[in-house]
Amino acid sequence: MKRILIVVLLIFASMIFPSCSPSENEPITLEAVMLNYRAVWTENYEYDTPVLIDSFTKYEKFLADHPEQTLSEEPLTMEFNETYFTDHWVYAYVKSEPSGSNQLSGEKAVLEGSTLKLTMAHFAPEIGTADMAARVCLFGIKNDLLKDVKTVKGEIQEKEKSNY
């Protein structure tokens, strides 16, 4: 009888104090392939907004609309190729920079309930160049992990030179 009472009390306590039981909204760091590049700058980009790319055709269009400034796009299509999109999606985040010396790189993708947070590290040196730059971060994530995502947020963390 004591065991039944203890079990009932534990169930009742977990209903009253839900923080004591495991939470469905615990943050989960997702495995992600992250690529970064500097795109040709234009004011027409959709800046500071995560963009879902759910097919290779859309990825090719994104690269054509956000061309790499200094290198070929081959490294970008080698990692995210047509086969990759059979079970992955890519989120792109584009940030406008007042200096080409500023850097932006993907750090992690975290799922918190129905919110996906794309965290990036930003480094701006004390002395930079006077050219505008568009920095692009790409996050490749298995699409079965993203089926319940309703909100996607980009979070940028400022980094010191010694931490970058």
Side-chain angles (χ1 to χ4, degrees):
M1 188 67 169
K2 281 186 178 180
R3 288 183 186 171
I4 294 174
L5 181 59
I6 291 172
V7 169
V8 169
L9 286 174
L10 287 174
I11 292 171
F12 182 70
S14 69
M15 290 171 29
I16 293 176
F17 305 106
S19 62
C20 296
S21 61
S23 172
E24 293 179 12
N25 292 330
E26 283 291 318
I28 301 167
T29 300
L30 302 177
E31 186 175 317
V33 174
M34 293 170 272
L35 299 176
N36 316 296
Y37 73 96
R38 180 179 175 174
V40 174
W41 189 89
T42 178
E43 59 188 49
N44 298 330
Y45 293 154
E46 188 174 350
Y47 287 108
D48 304 316
T49 303
V51 175
L52 172 63
I53 304 168
D54 59 3
S55 72
F56 187 67
T57 303
K58 289 181 182 176
Y59 184 59
E60 287 179 312
K61 180 169 178 8
F62 180 86
L63 292 178
D65 292 344
H66 302 78
E68 218 289 333
Q69 179 165 327
T70 56
L71 301 173
S72 75
E73 292 172 356
E74 186 178 347
L76 300 172
T77 54
M78 284 177 60
E79 187 70 45
F80 299 142
N81 57 30
E82 198 162 358
T83 305
Y84 187 82
F85 282 92
T86 58
D87 58 357
H88 290 81
W89 289 342
V90 172
Y91 278 95
Y93 190 90
V94 184
K95 181 169 179 8
S96 179
E97 294 286 355
S99 171
S101 299
N102 294 357
Q103 300 290 317
L104 187 70
S105 64
E107 287 208 321
K108 62 183 174 179
V110 176
L111 190 59
E112 290 184 7
S114 64
T115 300
L116 175 63
K117 292 184 179 179
L118 306 173
T119 304
M120 292 153 280
H122 182 258
F123 168 69
E126 288 182 31
I127 300 173
T129 58
D131 57 330
M132 296 295 290
R135 294 289 179 179
V136 179
C137 286
L138 302 170
F139 295 81
I141 304 167
K142 287 188 74 67
N143 57 12
D144 64 341
L145 302 172
L146 303 172
K147 62 183 179 217
D148 296 326
V149 169
K150 294 183 179 29
T151 307
V152 181
K153 297 179 179 178
E155 294 185 344
I156 298 175
Q157 299 175 346
E158 294 298 324
K159 299 287 183 172
E160 299 281 330
K161 184 175 183 175
S162 61
N163 295 334
Y164 192 78

